[in-house]
């Protein structure tokens, strides 16, 4: 049984399935509930608290994200804290600073999920109170902006959260806003009201206030039908992604790079399909126009080194393969203590049997002496070794007495008596 099997027995009464609750509390490490203080999250927390035992309640923690966007943000935090104290639930508040992005909505969302990821550990589960109306807004918003099948699938009921093994669940996606408000009234719950929810400057608010109501008046089951359609698309997309993953496994090299020669003869639309699914495996999602630009770059002249910089990753081609790489990092240089490891962002290195060694920047215009006694320009040697451009500055260029004596364990001067042990990170292929 999975945690998404039949959340709720009665959507009107918001009665959770006892089997689901038992699975949730036995399989999860800690159960977190996103608590904004609004009616949706208050109802979710109350419904959970009222249907579990006091002992099980000890496994529950509410987490409130303080964005600092409203003058009432401090009041909302205190409200949530008091609510959890009254209901005997653990409480954590996290104040976040928004980074500049395309919109306040995007920045707030990213900050919120970053905070969630920092708190949740392996096997923890985060419950969010997104409901049927939220799903409708999401699908319409993405449709207006332009999206593919994955976007039309809306918000998933369940997905991984971060890379620790934690999960995110949305148990109220089949529940309407009316049912949530009815529950709150029946139990005389209190909640806070965010006035910005009525500001139609924000696209979601505009959809909620001015677009969806007239559509619902014409099509009363619209939100239910959109939620159902999104779920079916999500199922279809999951199956499609699974089959795509199997095919891509045979098109990737041992270092995880996508071999572009496998895509070269395909029509543009098919190339873009495979690129999209390859990137999705690395948690990269590009807008369609950016995907088209990437496809054009990858089919450009081979003597170029196309690169796409993203918020937390970069995409680069090397020897007919596309790689998803971590962000660039400062090259760490300095003294090497004999026998001790020096750990750097993309590798670790140590020298054995030699003293007074240090790491220096990549030298320019020099030649190195090969084992056969011949010399070779460093730049040409790097090409001979097929060293990717992203590694060329990060290789350990080891000097002793101002002479280059080794480049990691890839090259050692024939007259040097020391030994180098070098362990590059698998995050940066070489």
């Amino acid at each position: 049984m999975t945690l998404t099997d039949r959340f709720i027995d009665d959507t009107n009464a918001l009665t959770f399935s006892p089997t689901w609750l038992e699975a949730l509390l036995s399989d999860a490490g800690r159960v977190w509930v996103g608590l904004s203080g609004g009616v949706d999250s208050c109802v979710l927390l109350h419904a959970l608290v009222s249907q579990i035992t006091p002992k099980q309640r000890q496994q529950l923690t509410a987490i409130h994200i303080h964005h600092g966007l409203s003058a009432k943000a401090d009041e909302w935090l205190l409200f949530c804290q008091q609510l959890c104290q009254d209901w005997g639930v653990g409480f954590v508040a996290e104040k976040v600073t928004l980074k500049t992005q395309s919109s306040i909505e995007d920045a707030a969302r990213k900050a919120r999920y970053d905070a969630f990821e920092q708190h949740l550990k392996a096997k923890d589960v985060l419950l969010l109170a997104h409901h049927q109306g939220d799903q409708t807004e999401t699908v319409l918003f993405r449709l207006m902006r332009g999206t593919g099948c994955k976007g039309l699938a809306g918000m998933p009921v369940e997905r991984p959260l971060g890379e620790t093994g934690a999960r995110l669940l949305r148990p109220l996606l089949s529940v309407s806003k009316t049912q949530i408000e009815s529950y709150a009234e029946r139990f005389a719950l209190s909640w806070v009201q965010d006035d910005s929810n009525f500001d139609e400057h924000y696209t979601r608010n505009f959809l909620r206030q001015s677009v969806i109501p007239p559509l619902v008046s014409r099509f009363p089951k619209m939100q239910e039908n959109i939620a159902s359609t999104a779920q079916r698309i999500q199922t279809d997309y999951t199956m499609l992604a699974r089959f795509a993953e199997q095919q891509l496994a045979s098109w990737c090299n041992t270092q995880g790079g996508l071999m572009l020669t496998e895509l070269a003869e395909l029509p543009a639309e098919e190339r873009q399909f495979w690129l999209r699914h390859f990137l999705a495996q690395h948690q990269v999602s590009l807008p369609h126009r950016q995907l088209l630009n990437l496809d054009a770059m990858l089919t450009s002249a081979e003597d170029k080194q196309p690169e796409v910089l993203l918020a937390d990753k970069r995409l680069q081609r090397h020897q007919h393969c596309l790689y998803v790489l971590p962000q660039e990092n400062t090259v760490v240089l300095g003294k090497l203590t004999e026998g001790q490891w020096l750990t750097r962002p993309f590798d670790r290195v140590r020298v054995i049997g030699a003293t007074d060694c240090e790491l220096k920047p990549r030298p320019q215009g020099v030649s190195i002496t090969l084992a056969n006694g011949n010399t070779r320009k460093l730049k040409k040697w790097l090409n001979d070794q097929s060293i990717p451009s992203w590694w060329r500055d990060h290789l350990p260029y080891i000097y002793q007495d101002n002479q280059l004596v080794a480049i990691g364990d890839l090259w050692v001067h024939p007259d040097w008596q020391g030994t180098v042990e070098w362990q590059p990170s698998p995050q940066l292929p070489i």
Side-chain angles (χ1 to χ4, degrees), residues 231-250:
Q231 182 57 54
R232 291 199 299 274
I233 293 175
Q234 178 67 43
T235 300
D236 291 347
Y237 184 83
T238 300
M239 294 296 294
L240 180 64
R242 188 176 303 166
F243 293 135
E245 184 177 349
Q246 293 172 359
Q247 178 60 68
L248 284 169
S250 66

Side-chain angles (χ1 to χ4, degrees), residues 342-400:
L342 175 64
T343 299
R344 309 193 298 171
F346 299 132
D347 64 2
R348 67 176 192 155
V349 60
R350 70 174 173 177
V351 170
I352 297 175
T355 58
D356 299 324
C357 293
E358 64 178 313
L359 296 178
K360 291 188 176 183
R362 171 164 58 128
Q364 302 297 321
V366 302
S367 296
I368 60 175
T369 303
L370 305 180
N372 59 12
N374 295 330
T375 60
R376 184 74 166 160
K377 286 288 187 182
L378 175 60
K379 183 175 181 180
K380 291 185 177 181
W381 179 85
L382 291 171
N383 291 335
D384 296 341
Q385 303 299 311
S386 299
I387 303 298
S389 60
W390 53 82
W391 260 114
R392 296 196 176 195
D393 285 337
H394 287 278
L395 291 176
Y397 296 97
I398 301 172
Y399 283 74
Q400 187 181 50

Side-chain angles (χ1 to χ4, degrees), residues 84-136:
C84 290
Q85 184 176 329
D86 294 342
W87 291 352
V89 175
F91 178 75
V92 169
E94 184 74 29
K95 292 188 177 182
V96 298
T97 301
L98 304 190
K99 297 179 181 179
T100 303
Q101 292 202 333
S102 57
S103 72
I104 292 178
E105 292 168 285
D106 289 341
R109 181 185 183 281
K110 186 176 189 316
R112 188 162 58 249
Y113 281 91
D114 285 347
F116 290 151
E117 290 180 20
Q118 289 174 12
H119 282 277
L120 269 72
K121 300 177 181 178
K123 297 188 72 175
D124 284 3
V125 174
L126 172 68
L127 304 181
L128 296 181
H130 294 121
H131 52 77
Q132 212 172 74
D134 295 321
Q135 187 72 295
T136 299

